[in-house]
Amino acid sequence: MIAKVIVDVPLMQTDKPYSYEIPSEFEDMVEAGMRVHVPFGIGNRLIQGIVTEVSKEVDTPEELKSIVEVLDYTPVLNQEQFWLADQLRKSVFSYKITLLKSMLPSLLNSSYDKILYPQSSLDPSIQTKLFGSKQEVAFSSLDVADQAQVMRLVRRGDLLLEYQAKDQKQIKTEKWYRVDQEKLKELQPSARAKKRLVLKEKLQLETQEKPLADLYKEFSKPVVAYFVEQGALKVSEREVNRAAQYFEGKKQSQALILNQEQARAVEAVVSQIGKTSTPFLLEGVTGSGKTEVYLQIIQEVLKKGKTAIMLVPEISLTPQMTNRFISRFGQEVAILHSGLSNGEKYDQWRKVERGEAKVVVGARSAIFAPLKNLGAIIIDEEHEASYKQDSNPRYHAREVAVLRAQYNQAVLLLGSATPSLESRARATKGVYQLLRLTKRANPSANIPKVKVVDFRDYIGQNEAGNYTPILVEAIADRLQKKEQVVLMLNRRGYSSFVMCRECGTVDTCPNCDISLTLHMDTKAMNCHYCGYSKAIPRHCPNCQSRSIRYYGTGTQKAYDELQEIFPEAKILRMDVDTTRKKGSHAAILEAFGNGEADILLGTQMIAKGLDFPNVTLVGVLNADTSLNLPDYRSSERTFQLLTQVAGRAGRADKEGEVIIQSYNPNHYAIQFAKEQDYEGFFAYEMKIRRQLGYTPYYFTVGLTLSHKNEEVVVKKAHQVMEILRSGLSDQIQLLGPTPKPIARTHNLYHYQIIVKYRFEEGITQVLNQVLDFTQEKENKDLRVSIDNEPQSFM
Ligand code: ADP
Ligand code: ZN
Ligand code: ZN
C-alpha cells in the first residue's frame, strides 16, 4: 500500500505529494487526513507530513521509503478541508501544507504527548503488558513495535487516547470543595460561633462540587478552615476550564419579537438554507438588532438539524457577546478564541468534531471548524481587517466562508453597520443580496446626535489639552446625572514619543525605522515592532541637549488630564497597556457594565460591540490621526471607526450624544460619520476609488521582500518585477519596488511591489512562479510575502 504525503519542509516547499510505503502493520489504519512522520531528503531526516491519498498502485519504479510513525489514530482533516485547500490555493499564495496546518487546532501543530488510558473492555494481559500497575501511559514511552497494536486498540475502543499539551504552563488550576454530609452532621459548632452555624446550614443543602472561592466571598478563611480540618469539606485541585466558565449560571434567553425589517431579513436568509444561494449582506445601523437576526437564523438552522458558524472579531469575543449565544443555545455552543489555552482550544475543537457542538462562535480561524452539515455561516462586523490573516497563509475568512457555504449549500450572511466597500459594491452588482435595517431595534432608542468640534478654535488656549470646553461641559453634565461616558482616543499608527527641542531628533529603534514609544507606567521606551526596550533618555542621543520633551497623547496622559479636571470621577482606562493580561479586557468591560465607573477611556478597542444602556455620551478626542496614513483605506477606516463608536451612545431609552473633536472637521469621512450616513459615504468614496484606480475597481496584490542587506533586497525585487512583467499583459500596473512606509524592522529592509489589474488571466500562475522563486536555494535568506488584496499598506 502506498500513501501520498505532502511534507512540511521549510525552504523546499512544494504542493507535490511524495509516495511512501505503508508498513504492513499499519496497512489497514492509514487514511487520508492523518499526520505521519516520514524520512525525507538525503539525510533521511524525520519530518511531518499529511496523508492526502492511500492507494494500491505504485507510480515510481524505484524503491519507496516507509512511513515511520502514524501520529493520529483517526483523520484530523476531512475531505471538505482538502477541497478547501485546493480552492484557496488559487488566491492564497502559500503552499498547501501551510493552508492545511492552519485548519488544525494549534495544539496539533505544537508539542504534545498522547496519553493512553485502559478501558474496561481491554484484555487484562494486554493491560498488564502495556500499563503494569499504572493508570495511564504516554504513547511516546511505548516500543515502536507496540504502537501499531495500540492504535488498533484505540480504534476498537479498548483504549482511550488523549492529546495533552506539553506546555503545562498554560494550565491554570483552582481549588474546589465537596461536602461530606455525614461528617457535616456530626459537627456541632457552639452557639456563639455564629458564622460557623451559618456555613453549616448553607452546606447542608449542597450536593455539587463548587469552587472554594465561592465560600470566601461570604466567609473568612478561619471559618472555612474549621470545616476542612474537621473533614466536612473535601478540597481538591481542578484544572480551570476557561471555556466552561462561560457556560455557568447562564439564564436561557427567549427569542424577541422581531420588527418588520428584522423579520424580513430572517425570512430571506432562512428560506435559502440547504440551497445554493448568493451570500447576503446585512447593512444595519448600530443598535438595529443584527445580533437578534443572527440568533434567529441559527435557531432555524438548528431546527433543520444543521449546524452554524458565527464569526466575530477577536476583540468582540467578550462575555457580553458570547453570553448572548450561550443564553440562547446553551451547551450546543463551542467558543473558540485566543484567551483559551491550546489544550482548551483542542477540547472545543474535539467537541465540534464529535458533533457535540452545533454552533461555533469564534474569531477568524473558527471558519475552519470541522462542523458537519453546515446550514449557516454568519460574519459579524464583516468590514473588520482582522478577518484577513496578516501572516502566512494570508487568507480572508470571508473568502473561506464563500467556499464552505458553496460546498455545504449553507447560507452566508455578512453583517455590519459599515460594510467594507468591496462587499457593498458586490451587493450593488448582485453578487451579494442586500438586506437593510435602517432603524434602531429598541423603539425608544434613536440614532444619537453627533456634534463635530473644531479643535483649531481652541489652539493656544490649552495647548497640550485633550479636551475642548464643549466636551468637558458635556462630561460634567453626565456625571451630575449619573449617566456614563465613553471616550475614545484614536491611536492608530500614532503614539507617544520623545523629541529633542534643540535639534528635533526623535528617538528611534536601532533595529527598525520607527520611533520608540514612551511608556510612563514602566518608565521605558519600547519598539512596538521588535520589542526592543530601553530606559527613557535624559540627553538627546544626537546633540546631548537636556531639553527633551515628551510628545503625543497617550491614553495615560489623557487619563491623568481627565482625572485632574474631574477628581471625583471614577475612570477606567482601556488600551494595550491595561489589557495585556488575558481576560483583563473583559474584566474592564464588565466593571463598566456594572456601573463601577463613570467614564471608560480607551483606544479603538472600545468602539466595538458594546451595548451599555446607561452610556449617553461618547466623545472622540482626536478623529484625525487615522486619516492621514499612507493607505488608501484610511478614510474608510476612519469613517467606520467613528460610526461604530458613535453607535455606543443612547442604545436604550435615554437620548445619546456624540462629540467628535477634529482638526479637519470638514473632511468627508468625518462629515458622513456625523450624519451616520453609510450610503452617502459609500457613493462618495467609490468615486474616489474609481478616479485613483483602487479596490473595488481594481484588484491589488502587495508583494513585500525583506532582507538584512538593502542592496540584496533591491536586486531581488527587480528580479521579481522581471518575473511579473514577463508573465503578465501590458495592461498590468506594477508600482515599485519602493521601501515600505516603515522601511526597516527587526534589522530587515522591506521593499514593496504593488500589482494592480482589472482582468489578468495569468496572474495566479505568475504569482505562484514568484512563490517558487522564494524556495530557490540562493534565496533562502530572503523573505517574501505575497498578499492578495492587502488590508493595509503600512
Ligand atoms: P446591533 O448588533 O445591530 O448593533 P444589537 O443586536 O446589539 O444591535 O441590538 C441592540 C439592542 O436592541 C439590544 O439591546 C437588543 O436586545 C435590542 N433588540 C434587538 N432586537 C429587538 C427587538 N426585535 N425588539 C426589542 N429589542 C430588540
Ligand atoms: Zn524595533
Ligand atoms: Zn538634540
Side-chain angles (χ1 to χ4, degrees):
M1 293 285 275
I2 306 297
K4 297 254 160 107
V5 178
I6 48 172
V7 291
D8 190 14
V9 219
L11 289 169
M12 273 181 64
Q13 299 279 34
T14 160
D15 284 341
K16 195 173 76 75
Y18 292 89
S19 293
Y20 284 90
E21 180 88 47
I22 302 175
S24 55
E25 65 265 38
F26 288 123
E27 202 127 270
D28 55 335
M29 276 186 286
V30 175
E31 287 177 53
M34 286 183 176
R35 296 164 311 140
V36 290
H37 273 157
V38 292
F40 190 81
I42 302 158
N44 276 337
R45 194 157 55 98
L46 275 195
I47 54 163
Q48 213 184 92
I50 294 172
V51 177
T52 57
E53 219 186 297
V54 174
S55 64
K56 278 219 157 72
E57 336 111 55
V58 189
D59 58 359
T60 44
E62 71 217 75
E63 207 176 310
L64 293 176
K65 295 175 186 174
S66 281
I67 289 175
V68 170
E69 194 186 345
V70 184
L71 299 175
D72 300 305
Y73 61 99
T74 166
V76 290
L77 289 162
N78 60 34
Q79 285 308 312
E80 182 185 359
Q81 289 169 318
F82 281 119
W83 178 82
L84 270 182
D86 283 339
Q87 299 303 310
L88 286 172
R89 214 31 209 91
K90 296 172 189 164
S91 55
V92 178
F93 298 93
S94 290
Y95 290 99
K96 212 181 275 176
I97 185 81
T98 318
L99 280 162
L100 290 171
K101 277 169 65 180
S102 69
M103 298 179 193
L104 292 173
S106 42
L107 176 70
L108 298 183
N109 289 319
S110 57
S111 58
Y112 61 87
D113 209 338
K114 287 179 285 191
I115 311 295
L116 295 164
Y117 304 89
Q119 301 294 290
S120 55
S121 58
L122 184 65
D123 185 298
S125 65
I126 301 178
Q127 172 154 355
T128 314
K129 178 168 163 260
L130 293 175
F131 290 85
S133 60
K134 283 185 259 156
Q135 293 299 305
E136 53 174 70
V137 294
F139 191 80
S140 58
S141 69
L142 299 174
D143 282 344
V144 178
D146 287 336
Q147 291 187 354
Q149 189 200 2
V150 161
M151 285 188 58
R152 214 161 271 131
L153 292 167
V154 170
R155 288 206 162 185
R156 280 218 311 254
D158 294 345
L159 287 175
L160 176 72
L161 184 150
E162 275 183 0
Y163 295 95
Q164 193 174 89
K166 278 200 178 142
D167 183 10
Q168 293 285 336
K169 269 188 311 226
Q170 297 185 38
I171 293 175
K172 218 173 98 188
T173 60
E174 65 181 0
K175 290 197 165 69
W176 281 56
Y177 71 88
R178 187 169 54 77
V179 183
D180 184 330
Q181 292 294 351
E182 294 298 307
K183 289 259 167 63
L184 186 70
K185 267 191 214 121
E186 291 164 19
L187 281 192
Q188 298 296 344
S190 80
R192 272 180 305 158
K194 292 226 174 63
K195 273 290 184 186
R196 285 183 185 178
L197 287 170
V198 178
L199 182 52
K200 183 180 172 189
E201 203 161 314
K202 174 187 163 77
L203 292 175
Q204 276 166 359
L205 305 170
E206 290 190 359
T207 52
Q208 279 177 349
E209 267 191 89
K210 287 185 174 169
L212 200 58
D214 286 2
L215 290 184
Y216 291 139
K217 281 181 200 153
E218 269 180 81
F219 301 94
S220 68
K221 291 227 158 138
V223 174
V224 175
Y226 167 78
F227 288 82
V228 177
E229 280 154 21
Q230 301 298 318
L233 286 181
K234 307 272 182 229
V235 176
S236 61
E237 200 80 19
R238 264 216 204 172
E239 188 178 322
V240 179
N241 185 342
R242 268 165 286 210
Q245 283 174 347
Y246 284 115
F247 294 90
E248 278 154 21
K250 292 285 141 50
K251 279 203 278 303
Q252 165 92 28
S253 78
Q254 296 304 321
L256 301 173
I257 296 172
L258 299 180
N259 63 36
Q260 230 182 19
E261 287 182 330
Q262 285 175 311
R264 212 175 296 140
V266 171
E267 238 171 66
V269 176
V270 165
S271 70
Q272 298 301 310
I273 298 170
K275 299 181 189 158
T276 304
S277 61
T278 36
F280 294 91
L281 176 64
L282 178 66
E283 180 189 324
V285 297
T286 55
S288 58
K290 293 186 287 297
T291 313
E292 189 61 32
V293 169
Y294 306 155
L295 288 165
Q296 299 206 12
I297 291 169
I298 294 173
Q299 201 162 345
E300 290 303 315
V301 165
L302 294 177
K303 261 195 218 154
K304 290 184 197 294
K306 291 174 178 276
T307 63
I309 295 177
M310 176 75 227
L311 286 194
V312 297
E314 180 71 52
I315 197 92
S316 337
L317 270 174
T318 57
Q320 216 185 9
M321 186 70 178
T322 49
N323 282 352
R324 292 172 80 170
F325 290 89
I326 290 168
S327 302
R328 197 66 60 89
F329 306 117
Q331 291 288 347
E332 293 196 301
V333 176
I335 307 270
L336 288 168
H337 69 90
S338 65
L340 303 177
S341 72
N342 281 346
E344 288 165 333
K345 267 186 244 170
Y346 173 75
D347 290 346
Q348 295 288 304
W349 181 83
R350 284 283 294 154
K351 192 171 156 187
V352 173
E353 205 226 7
R354 284 196 301 256
E356 287 162 21
K358 303 237 157 28
V359 181
V360 169
V361 180
R364 181 182 59 229
S365 64
I367 193 61
F368 291 118
L371 283 165
K372 286 160 204 127
N373 202 8
L374 254 183
I377 304 172
I378 300 174
I379 304 184
D380 189 29
E381 311 271 10
E382 72 88 33
H383 61 278
E384 273 294 306
S386 64
Y387 284 125
K388 174 82 179 278
Q389 179 153 294
D390 61 2
S391 59
N392 282 338
R394 293 169 192 272
Y395 68 90
H396 199 299
R398 198 197 289 137
E399 187 186 359
V400 183
V402 169
L403 291 166
R404 291 202 72 179
Q406 185 191 332
Y407 188 95
N408 291 282
Q409 303 204 309
V411 288
L412 169 58
L413 177 69
L414 310 170
S416 175
T418 54
S420 63
L421 246 68
E422 288 93 319
S423 292
R424 181 62 187 82
R426 283 182 195 141
T428 305
K429 289 191 357 198
V431 180
Y432 296 160
Q433 190 178 326
L434 186 64
L435 303 168
R436 292 186 63 190
L437 304 178
T438 57
K439 293 186 287 288
R440 286 210 154 166
N442 183 335
S444 50
N446 289 310
I447 298 289
K449 295 207 175 55
V450 183
K451 195 184 285 170
V452 180
V453 179
D454 192 340
F455 235 133
R456 292 168 303 183
D457 293 346
Y458 301 93
I459 288 177
Q461 290 185 16
N462 175 12
E463 209 185 321
N466 277 300
Y467 305 90
T468 58
I470 295 185
L471 183 56
V472 169
E473 202 175 299
I475 297 171
D477 175 60
R478 300 316 130 109
L479 291 177
Q480 193 238 324
K481 289 185 187 148
K482 301 263 176 270
E483 294 171 358
Q484 287 178 299
V485 179
V486 168
L487 296 174
M488 184 181 76
L489 187 72
N490 187 358
R491 257 169 50 122
R492 200 180 286 267
Y494 182 79
S495 52
S496 319
F497 59 99
V498 165
M499 189 169 93
C500 169
R501 291 168 112 168
E502 302 283 331
C503 74
T505 294
V506 172
D507 211 355
T508 53
C509 173
N511 311 319
C512 309
D513 280 347
I514 186 171
S515 56
L516 292 169
T517 302
L518 176 70
H519 287 266
M520 281 314 264
D521 47 350
T522 51
K523 304 259 182 301
M525 307 284 298
N526 293 331
C527 172
H528 281 188
Y529 276 82
C530 72
Y532 172 87
S533 178
K534 70 171 194 183
I536 300 172
R538 291 166 184 219
H539 308 273
C540 166
N542 181 42
C543 74
Q544 307 307 319
S545 152
R546 281 179 156 271
S547 52
I548 277 189
R549 213 192 123 163
Y550 305 145
Y551 283 88
T553 36
T555 35
Q556 174 72 55
K557 193 157 159 273
Y559 175 92
D560 293 344
E561 199 185 329
L562 189 64
Q563 194 73 82
E564 209 174 296
I565 307 173
F566 300 109
E568 311 283 273
K570 280 191 241 91
I571 309 169
L572 282 170
R573 179 182 142 206
M574 188 151 97
D575 57 19
V576 280
D577 292 331
T578 61
T579 54
R580 218 166 266 142
K581 249 180 61 195
K582 288 249 161 83
S584 46
H585 177 252
I588 294 173
L589 292 181
E590 200 180 304
F592 189 64
N594 291 340
E596 289 165 36
D598 309 301
I599 303 173
L600 175 65
L601 167 71
T603 53
Q604 28 275 79
M605 273 180 203
I606 62 166
K608 269 162 222 120
L610 310 186
D611 188 15
F612 295 124
N614 200 32
V615 172
T616 58
L617 174 66
V618 166
V620 179
L621 303 189
N622 53 343
D624 315 280
T625 40
S626 57
L627 267 185
N628 305 313
L629 297 175
D631 194 324
Y632 71 79
R633 281 198 182 85
S634 64
S635 296
E636 185 183 356
R637 297 260 184 260
T638 304
F639 172 80
Q640 286 165 345
L641 182 62
L642 295 178
T643 309
Q644 294 284 343
V645 72
R648 300 310 117 208
R651 291 174 72 84
D653 307 350
K654 293 173 193 159
E655 187 103 3
E657 186 186 7
V658 180
I659 295 179
I660 296 174
Q661 301 182 145
S662 167
Y663 286 100
N664 301 283
N666 296 320
H667 191 285
Y668 67 93
I670 292 176
Q671 282 300 319
F672 283 117
K674 175 178 178 226
E675 302 302 331
Q676 308 260 300
D677 180 5
Y678 174 79
E679 288 293 317
F681 174 78
F682 171 69
Y684 194 97
E685 181 72 10
M686 283 295 274
K687 266 191 233 140
I688 295 178
R689 298 283 178 93
R690 180 201 282 275
Q691 276 163 13
L692 300 177
Y694 285 128
T695 314
Y697 289 98
Y698 277 75
F699 297 107
T700 51
V701 180
L703 294 100
T704 302
L705 292 88
S706 310
H707 195 276
K708 59 182 189 299
N709 181 328
E710 191 167 13
E711 262 171 61
V712 172
V713 72
V714 172
K715 194 179 107 204
K716 294 290 174 187
H718 281 105
Q719 287 178 12
V720 168
M721 288 288 279
E722 211 30 63
I723 297 175
L724 294 170
R725 217 175 266 124
S726 61
L728 296 169
S729 76
D730 49 10
Q731 298 291 305
I732 199 80
Q733 295 185 40
L734 297 175
L735 313 177
T738 48
K740 292 267 277 189
I742 297 166
R744 192 176 62 116
T745 64
H746 305 83
N747 265 323
L748 296 172
Y749 290 89
H750 309 297
Y751 272 71
Q752 154 177 293
I753 297 168
I754 294 172
V755 184
K756 288 208 303 186
Y757 63 97
R758 297 208 66 171
F759 307 101
E760 198 60 54
E761 258 177 51
I763 189 83
T764 304
Q765 199 213 329
V766 165
L767 292 172
N768 276 319
Q769 238 171 293
V770 174
L771 185 65
D772 289 337
F773 167 81
T774 66
Q775 299 297 306
E776 287 171 15
K777 258 210 187 73
E778 69 266 26
N779 293 332
K780 72 180 195 325
D781 294 331
L782 182 72
R783 291 201 208 163
V784 180
S785 82
I786 305 174
D787 194 356
N788 199 4
E789 297 304 319
Q791 289 294 308
S792 140
F793 293 90
M794 295 288 288

Short mmCIF file of all heavy atoms in Angstrom, two decimals, residues 113 134 137-143 147:
data_model
loop_
_atom_site.label_atom_id
_atom_site.label_comp_id
_atom_site.label_asym_id
_atom_site.label_seq_id
_atom_site.Cartn_x
_atom_site.Cartn_y
_atom_site.Cartn_z
N ASP A 113 1.87 15.34 23.92
CA ASP A 113 2.06 13.90 24.00
C ASP A 113 0.68 13.27 23.93
O ASP A 113 -0.32 13.92 24.17
CB ASP A 113 2.76 13.54 25.31
CG ASP A 113 3.57 12.26 25.12
OD1 ASP A 113 3.26 11.49 24.20
OD2 ASP A 113 4.52 12.05 25.91
N LYS A 134 0.33 0.99 36.32
CA LYS A 134 -0.01 2.41 36.13
C LYS A 134 -1.43 2.60 35.58
O LYS A 134 -2.00 1.73 34.94
CB LYS A 134 1.01 3.07 35.19
CG LYS A 134 2.32 3.38 35.92
CD LYS A 134 3.26 4.14 35.02
CE LYS A 134 4.29 3.24 34.44
NZ LYS A 134 5.00 3.38 33.33
N VAL A 137 -0.39 5.67 30.44
CA VAL A 137 0.98 5.72 29.92
C VAL A 137 1.01 6.69 28.74
O VAL A 137 0.01 6.93 28.08
CB VAL A 137 1.50 4.34 29.43
CG1 VAL A 137 1.64 3.37 30.59
CG2 VAL A 137 0.63 3.79 28.33
N ALA A 138 2.22 7.24 28.51
CA ALA A 138 2.40 8.12 27.37
C ALA A 138 2.72 7.28 26.14
O ALA A 138 3.51 6.33 26.22
CB ALA A 138 3.52 9.11 27.65
N PHE A 139 2.10 7.61 25.04
CA PHE A 139 2.31 6.89 23.78
C PHE A 139 3.80 6.86 23.43
O PHE A 139 4.32 5.86 22.99
CB PHE A 139 1.51 7.61 22.69
CG PHE A 139 1.41 6.86 21.40
CD1 PHE A 139 0.49 5.83 21.24
CD2 PHE A 139 2.22 7.20 20.32
CE1 PHE A 139 0.39 5.13 20.05
CE2 PHE A 139 2.11 6.52 19.12
CZ PHE A 139 1.19 5.49 18.98
N SER A 140 4.47 8.00 23.68
CA SER A 140 5.87 8.11 23.27
C SER A 140 6.78 7.16 24.06
O SER A 140 7.88 6.87 23.65
CB SER A 140 6.35 9.55 23.47
OG SER A 140 6.19 9.92 24.82
N SER A 141 6.29 6.65 25.22
CA SER A 141 7.14 5.76 26.01
C SER A 141 7.03 4.31 25.55
O SER A 141 7.72 3.44 26.05
CB SER A 141 6.75 5.87 27.49
OG SER A 141 5.48 5.30 27.67
N LEU A 142 6.14 4.04 24.59
CA LEU A 142 5.94 2.66 24.13
C LEU A 142 7.00 2.27 23.10
O LEU A 142 7.55 3.12 22.42
CB LEU A 142 4.55 2.51 23.50
CG LEU A 142 3.36 2.78 24.38
CD1 LEU A 142 2.08 2.72 23.55
CD2 LEU A 142 3.30 1.77 25.53
N ASP A 143 7.24 0.98 23.01
CA ASP A 143 8.09 0.47 21.93
C ASP A 143 7.41 0.74 20.60
O ASP A 143 6.19 0.63 20.50
CB ASP A 143 8.25 -1.05 22.07
CG ASP A 143 9.25 -1.40 23.15
OD1 ASP A 143 10.01 -0.49 23.55
OD2 ASP A 143 9.25 -2.56 23.59
N GLN A 147 3.30 0.24 18.98
CA GLN A 147 2.47 1.39 18.62
C GLN A 147 1.33 1.03 17.67
O GLN A 147 0.22 1.52 17.84
CB GLN A 147 3.34 2.51 18.04
CG GLN A 147 4.23 3.12 19.12
CD GLN A 147 5.00 4.33 18.67
OE1 GLN A 147 4.97 4.70 17.50
NE2 GLN A 147 5.69 4.96 19.60
#
